[in-house]
Amino acid sequence: MTQDEMKQAVAQAAVDYIKPKLSEDSIVGVGTGSTANFFIDALAEIKHLFDGAVASSEATAERLKNHGITVYELNNVAEMEVYVDGADEFDGGLNLVKGGGGALTREKIVAAVAKEFVCIVDSTKKVDVLGEFPLPVEVIPMARSYVARELVKLDGMPVWREGFVTDNGNLILDVHDMEITEPKELEEFVNNITGVVTNGLFANRGADIVLMGTEQGVETLTL
Ligand code: 5RP
């Protein structure tokens, strides 16, 4: 099975998982990335079963609309049944690193609103200790150098994702060489650096369930 086939399988598994929870009033939060794109395509098949979606990026909004799925502004939504998104890494505590696609801030906001966060990944994303994937940090442009110096103090190696601007008009620093043994604490610490919008650790609000595509099929992981 290729990595794309595993992504497609978990995307379908996510649709099967959320289907019984949906009603005509339900709003589905939708993440960003290649796995989320497979999910959007599968979700389109059941679009008659729910009201609409909230997108975590402009790219996702575009794909949802192309499928004829109504996209709502988050500010106009009081309740969200479920949020479905991929991840760049996850550990045994269902803590995640996200933001490879640069949508981390909107992803974190939508995840915060949702009653349940379903994370969809292939088995290459599982790690014992987070940090093999560089940790994305969204920063206000004028704070880029200052935040980078502060991140070096944490023994990380921040690299400016040059040429990339987030949907919020900000920049990304990808922090290499981190061994993240205390994800909740590090998430809070990095978010407290002045000029940081948010970082890609999803530990204080991690996944409630991870659907992981493997060669043998889709595994369901919960705490
Ligand atoms: C985007 C993300 C994605 O969920 C993450 O990068 C995984 O992407 P993919 O499904 O393409 O591997 O956080 O900001």
Side-chain angles (χ1 to χ4, degrees):
M1 211 187 247
T2 65
Q3 195 177 9
D4 268 359
E5 285 168 340
M6 286 195 263
K7 288 180 182 187
Q8 210 161 3
V10 285
Q12 186 55 54
V15 167
D16 296 342
Y17 176 78
I18 68 169
K19 197 172 163 184
K21 301 171 189 272
L22 300 179
S23 68
E24 58 186 10
D25 299 326
S26 299
I27 303 291
V28 179
V30 183
T32 298
S34 56
T35 318
N37 282 344
F38 282 120
F39 171 70
I40 295 167
D41 298 346
L43 187 67
E45 301 296 319
I46 59 157
K47 66 182 177 193
H48 55 286
L49 295 181
F50 61 98
D51 184 8
V54 169
S56 64
S57 65
E58 301 294 341
T60 287
E62 190 65 26
R63 197 176 185 98
L64 287 162
K65 285 179 197 164
N66 286 342
H67 277 299
I69 297 172
T70 305
V71 177
Y72 288 98
E73 289 292 327
L74 184 61
N75 285 320
N76 296 331
V77 165
E79 256 192 20
M80 189 185 302
E81 200 53 46
V82 65
Y83 176 59
V84 181
D85 196 1
D88 298 301
E89 275 188 343
F90 76 100
D91 68 12
L94 308 193
N95 304 298
L96 317 173
V97 168
K98 291 183 46 53
L104 58 158
T105 300
R106 293 191 186 192
E107 291 172 339
K108 202 173 268 198
I109 295 167
V110 183
V113 175
K115 286 188 209 158
E116 186 176 10
F117 180 0
V118 179
C119 185
I120 48 175
V121 289
D122 61 80
S123 54
T124 63
K125 307 291 182 72
K126 189 169 186 346
V127 294
D128 290 331
V129 179
L130 297 174
E132 283 171 31
F133 189 92
L135 176 65
V137 180
E138 180 164 349
V139 296
I140 301 288
M142 72 174 287
R144 173 175 55 84
S145 297
Y146 167 70
V147 172
R149 289 194 294 274
E150 292 302 300
L151 292 168
V152 168
K153 290 181 191 165
L154 295 175
D155 290 335
M157 218 268 286
V159 176
W160 175 21
R161 202 183 292 182
E162 275 192 81
F164 184 86
V165 177
T166 70
D167 285 348
N168 313 307
N170 298 315
L171 306 178
I172 299 281
L173 294 170
D174 292 303
V175 192
H176 296 247
D177 300 339
M178 302 283 275
E179 198 178 280
I180 305 172
T181 50
E182 295 185 339
K184 286 189 175 66
E185 288 75 6
L186 187 68
E187 180 180 3
E188 285 171 16
F189 195 88
V190 173
N191 281 348
N192 267 331
I193 300 172
T194 304
V196 168
V197 180
T198 198
N199 71 84
L201 273 168
F202 285 57
N204 290 288
R205 203 284 181 252
D208 296 303
I209 174 170
V210 171
L211 301 174
M212 179 176 73
T214 72
E215 294 283 349
Q216 290 74 39
V218 176
E219 280 181 30
T220 302
L221 309 170
T222 51
L223 286 180

